[in-house]
Amino acid sequence: ASALIADTKLLLAEWNLAQSVAENLNRARRENIFGKASRKRVEDILLIFRQRYFDDADVGAALVTLTQNGAPAQWIAPLLYFFSAQNDRTLRDIVIEVLYPRHLAGYTDLPVQVVVRAIRNWVAEGKTTTRWGEETITRVAQGLAATLRDFGVLQGAVNKHLTPIYLPTPSFALIALWLQQRERSGHLVLQSDDWRLFFLPVEGVERFFIEAQQEHLLTYNAAGSVVRIEFPAASLAEYTHVLLTNQRAR
């Protein structure tokens, strides 16, 4: 699936948190908010949107709250990318296992054959649900490259180049809370492979935590392998209000 950034932002702007997910999706169909898109295209968009952002209702509520309360666009973009990668294992693994090591090795280009080779190896190792043929592997590789270009991780229409996506501190902090809810360990949050989606080594993650603490977005304490991270909110949706209030006060 492509990035669908414009369609996603439109849905988030039109979303009513007082209604259920089903009610919101039905209203989007009924009011034809995508204009001239075919019925099949609309259904594809709504399915992808729900899977990416509303399988976890707290993620969806946080994105809606940010969008409808004037959060900067540069906050939203990395969040859409991050949660899309959580929903699409192949997209996530290509960045973490192929792009990130390539970035560390000093390469800036990404020939599509590098992606094709990685997927071919995964198929051979039985990591895909079915055994993909060469045509499918090439199509998936090209689709992943196009999606990552749309999200800003790659640049170039034909020849792709690595461009680590900009991650503002508030977006980092929201992702950190999401990881904390799953890992239940400050050390595991700090060491999480998911930071590699932003080409961040552990040292870079730690710098972000220190900066987030300086901006009063969280509390971070590290002593050896003991890492304590505390947030001023229990849910992502609640935390977005903290981030927005902090932004307005600056």
Side-chain angles (χ1 to χ4, degrees), residues 166-193:
Y166 173 60
L167 182 62
T169 306
S171 304
F172 167 87
L174 193 75
I175 291 169
L177 175 56
W178 184 85
L179 289 170
Q180 174 95 324
Q181 290 172 340
R182 276 143 193 81
E183 301 291 1
R184 303 292 180 185
S185 159
H187 178 71
L188 292 178
V189 172
L190 178 65
Q191 299 282 337
S192 174
D193 285 349

Side-chain angles (χ1 to χ4, degrees), residues 11-21 24 27 64 68:
L11 268 167
L12 292 172
E14 296 287 332
W15 202 264
N16 183 347
L17 288 173
Q19 296 180 331
S20 69
V21 172
N24 274 284
R27 180 164 51 82
V64 168
Q68 295 183 1

Side-chain angles (χ1 to χ4, degrees), residues 15 40 47 52 80 86 92 103 119 125 130 157 171 181 188 194 199 201 221 228 249-250:
W15 202 264
K40 182 182 185 307
L47 175 62
R52 285 177 174 174
L80 298 183
Q86 299 308 313
R92 178 184 179 275
H103 170 73
I119 296 173
E125 293 165 6
T130 57
S171 304
Q181 290 172 340
L188 292 178
D194 282 302
F199 297 179
N221 291 293
R228 287 180 59 84
R250 298 183 71 187

Side-chain angles (χ1 to χ4, degrees), residues 143-159:
L144 289 169
T147 299
L148 290 169
R149 183 195 62 215
D150 291 347
F151 277 126
V153 181
L154 297 176
Q155 283 186 348
V158 179
N159 299 316

